[in-house]
Amino acid sequence: MQQVFIAGTACTAVREHYDRSLLDLALEALHGAVGTLDPNLIQALYVGNALGDTLSEQSQLGAYIAGAAGLNCEAVRVEAAGASGALALRQGYLAIASGQADVVVVLGVEKATDKLDAALQAALALGLDGELERALGLTLTGAWALLMQRYLHEYQLPATAFAPFAVNAHTNGAGNRHALYRFAINAQKWANAGQIAEPLNMLDCSTVADGAAAVVLVSQRYAREVAQPIAIVGSATSSSNVALAQRSDLLWLEAAAASGNNALQQAKLKRDAINIIELSDPHGIAAALSLEALGYAERGQATQLAAEGVIAKDGALPLATAGGYKARGDVGGATGVYQVVELVAQLRGQAGANQIANAKTALAQCLGGVGATAVTHILQVAEV
Amino acid sequence: MNLPKQWRLKGQRYRLEGQRHSDGRVRFPAQPAKLGEASDAWQPYQLASTGELYSWTAQRSNRSEFDHEPIVLVGMIKLADGCMLTAQLTDCEPSELQIGMAMEAVTRSWGKVGDDDLLVYGYKFRPKLVD
């Protein structure tokens, strides 16, 4: 197995880019990440995208984007709902680690705003079980709401216990120029927000928007020429039943636990070695269950972790330091690549107002649907 | 219109047809044997039509096929035979719903499908009327 390193990274601002196409966003991110690297060195392009065939009415995104970029190489679109970008990163990782390639590019791109919200909700619900859930009218937000309702019941908590996740995300988003929402909120504002899918309220729901992010992955041979290479020291994915009713434990994200444990084991790290973390946090319940699956909180205790400030920038486990899904914006299948671009900036000391001091090791976990797919990557400052 | 699909699903949607394993486990819907399982390990079984509310949500932001409805109620029901399923809830208001309350199955319209407005029916659950 070859070691895998991250070289260039870039992302677009997360916005409702009504004046820009999927291809416009993809090319901006690709140009930024590839920079002055000779494009002829690129041996493969992995595109993470969840909604392109539905909302942009375009399939074959690998070839479509590679062609526009002037690349004639292996080009593959990877789809696993919200985990698409993270899974594309894993494919890029495997291509380098296996020795099949020395330079690949991973792109996450989502163009969500070409259709109205009801159509977007319909597209997002494709990540649910089509016959058992989607056909009933269940939305992806509604599915997370089912988990939250049960969580509140089992642990006898008020909905406001989840407010610190969104408050933290907005505090951090205010310092990220790429974020969709650059303003702070407080717990009172959170508590007064209208319901979207009870008990999830508007300030506990991310906004899906447009964006693209890209990273260049290289083998050690090329990493020596990179100013601040970041090593991918752990990469793992796992799956569980898509249908919620077919899971043995509704409040345990089995795939998140398995992929997290496997990535840590591969990296030969204990979880307390992680300085900074990115999770799938479109709602507080998603962040809470992920923290519990990863072993950072006992079951039923994750909201306490958030309330105590553990996830804040000055806490022991800073979460969503660029705003997370809630403030940076939910970029669908591009999210997994955004997470890594943001963590690389932290590890390189380039995170500006949101910089976490002495961050050396970071973990990114990205979920598809309600955690049926989970992908975890562990990044570390490298010495080549 | 995906007429063959609607026809194929009539057993699970009209009659709650699932499967029961020789060891007593029940699952829904009927599905092929998993890898490593004997092909006849699971036999056809009609699920219990009553159970209790395990979780629920009231969706106020809905998909295009459902956005004519101001609120879509969806719940998870733990049936009397131990099987869990997800269903739309009907004949009730969000304020009436409590986890653990008794529920029963009814057959109702799920909506219209395709350009010809094919009416699709299936199971929904409502608070149980009589104990």
Side-chain angles (χ1 to χ4, degrees):
Chain A
M1 295 277 280
Q2 295 195 93
Q3 277 191 288
V4 182
F5 299 88
I6 298 171
T9 69
C11 65
T12 71
V14 179
R15 299 284 186 271
E16 292 170 321
H17 288 290
Y18 294 116
D19 57 338
R20 307 188 72 196
S21 70
L22 181 146
L23 209 50
D24 294 332
L25 297 167
L27 267 292
E28 179 185 333
L30 285 176
H31 276 291
V34 172
T36 57
L37 177 74
D38 179 358
N40 293 314
L41 294 174
I42 298 169
Q43 294 162 286
L45 171 68
Y46 297 98
V47 178
N49 170 269
L51 308 173
D53 37 12
T54 310
L55 297 184
S56 297
E57 296 167 355
Q58 180 64 57
S59 63
Q60 283 206 89
L61 282 186
Y64 181 67
I65 294 170
L71 297 172
N72 293 302
C73 61
E74 175 177 329
V76 180
R77 177 218 180 175
V78 181
E79 188 281 313
S84 301
L87 207 51
L89 180 67
R90 168 128 176 101
Q91 301 310 308
Y93 168 87
L94 290 173
I96 303 266
S98 66
Q100 285 289 305
D102 286 303
V103 181
V104 307
V105 176
V106 178
L107 170 76
V109 60
E110 207 65 79
K111 177 64 194 169
T113 61
D114 272 353
K115 295 191 178 174
L116 298 177
D117 187 62
L120 173 60
Q121 291 292 337
L124 292 169
L126 290 168
L128 303 174
D129 187 298
E131 293 179 2
L132 297 177
E133 296 171 332
R134 190 175 184 277
L136 310 171
L138 187 65
T139 63
L140 188 56
T141 303
W144 281 111
L146 289 171
L147 271 64
M148 181 175 172
Q149 190 83 269
R150 185 69 197 181
Y151 192 98
L152 297 178
H153 174 78
E154 293 233 350
Y155 302 115
Q156 292 297 295
L157 292 168
T160 51
F162 287 93
F165 289 104
V167 171
N168 175 64
H170 273 268
T171 299
N172 296 342
N176 174 12
R177 66 188 173 91
H178 291 127
L180 178 64
Y181 297 132
R182 299 192 63 190
F183 55 82
I185 63 170
N186 58 37
Q188 187 60 47
K189 190 171 180 181
W190 189 99
N192 292 336
Q195 294 291 323
I196 297 292
E198 196 169 336
L200 283 171
N201 70 31
M202 188 176 291
L203 286 179
D204 203 358
C205 292
S206 60
T207 301
V208 182
D210 307 328
V215 299
V216 177
L217 303 182
V218 298
S219 64
Q220 186 147 18
R221 176 180 163 201
Y222 287 92
R224 295 190 186 96
E225 299 168 29
V226 177
Q228 289 179 282
I230 302 297
I232 300 180
V233 295
S235 172
T237 184
S238 192
S239 63
S240 63
N241 282 326
V242 171
L244 298 180
Q246 293 179 347
R247 298 181 185 183
S248 59
D249 184 341
L250 186 65
L251 300 181
W252 182 247
L253 298 180
E254 184 181 0
S259 80
N261 286 336
N262 290 341
L264 285 164
Q265 195 171 23
Q266 182 191 355
K268 298 183 174 62
L269 292 172
K270 296 197 182 304
R271 63 178 64 87
D272 59 7
I274 302 298
N275 304 130
I276 180 171
I277 192 167
E278 285 293 324
L279 299 172
S280 282
D281 52 0
H283 318 288
I285 181 66
L289 292 176
S290 297
L291 286 168
E292 292 174 14
L294 287 166
Y296 286 108
E298 295 293 322
R299 298 189 65 175
Q301 299 295 314
T303 58
Q304 189 63 28
L305 207 69
E308 291 169 355
V310 173
I311 63 169
K313 278 189 287 187
D314 58 354
L317 188 68
L319 167 66
T321 60
Y325 283 55
K326 183 66 195 73
R328 173 238 290 130
D330 181 346
V331 269
T335 304
V337 187
Y338 266 88
Q339 290 178 323
V340 167
V341 169
E342 291 160 0
L343 290 176
V344 167
Q346 287 283 357
L347 297 178
R348 287 176 170 162
Q350 299 170 347
N354 288 340
Q355 183 64 48
I356 306 299
N358 301 315
K360 302 292 183 198
T361 306
L363 183 150
Q365 185 175 79
C366 199
L367 306 180
V370 187
T373 302
V375 189
T376 307
H377 286 97
I378 299 175
L379 315 180
Q380 209 161 44
V381 173
E383 292 176 11
V384 183
Chain B
M1 181 195 302
N2 52 6
L3 189 57
K5 178 176 176 179
Q6 306 305 331
W7 173 80
R8 189 171 68 242
L9 295 172
K10 64 184 186 301
Q12 75 180 56
R13 290 186 175 172
Y14 296 166
R15 296 186 292 275
L16 286 178
E17 283 181 3
Q19 289 171 318
R20 183 161 58 186
H21 195 271
S22 52
D23 66 9
R25 284 177 293 151
V26 174
R27 70 182 183 186
F28 179 79
Q31 54 199 278
K34 295 184 190 301
L35 298 178
E37 283 184 338
S39 59
D40 60 352
W42 294 87
Q43 294 297 320
Y45 168 77
Q46 185 166 358
L47 300 184
S49 60
T50 59
E52 63 179 45
L53 188 61
Y54 188 80
S55 191
W56 63 275
T57 184
Q59 294 180 171
R60 289 168 168 82
S61 173
N62 290 304
R63 296 175 7 216
S64 35
E65 313 95 292
F66 295 86
D67 65 356
H68 59 283
E69 300 181 43
I71 296 177
V72 174
L73 288 174
V74 182
M76 296 185 75
I77 315 295
K78 188 162 191 177
L79 297 175
D81 51 24
C83 191
M84 185 89 80
L85 57 74
T86 306
Q88 260 202 40
L89 307 180
T90 189
D91 299 353
C92 57
E93 297 295 325
S95 58
E96 300 172 46
L97 296 172
Q98 287 190 332
I99 287 178
M101 69 190 299
M103 306 293 286
E104 63 185 358
V106 291
T107 299
R108 293 290 168 81
S109 169
W110 279 18
K112 296 173 182 174
V113 173
D115 296 336
D116 296 329
D117 286 343
L118 174 73
L119 271 172
V120 174
Y121 286 81
Y123 54 85
K124 291 187 181 182
F125 278 73
R126 68 181 177 192
K128 193 174 179 191
L129 296 180
V130 181
D131 280 331

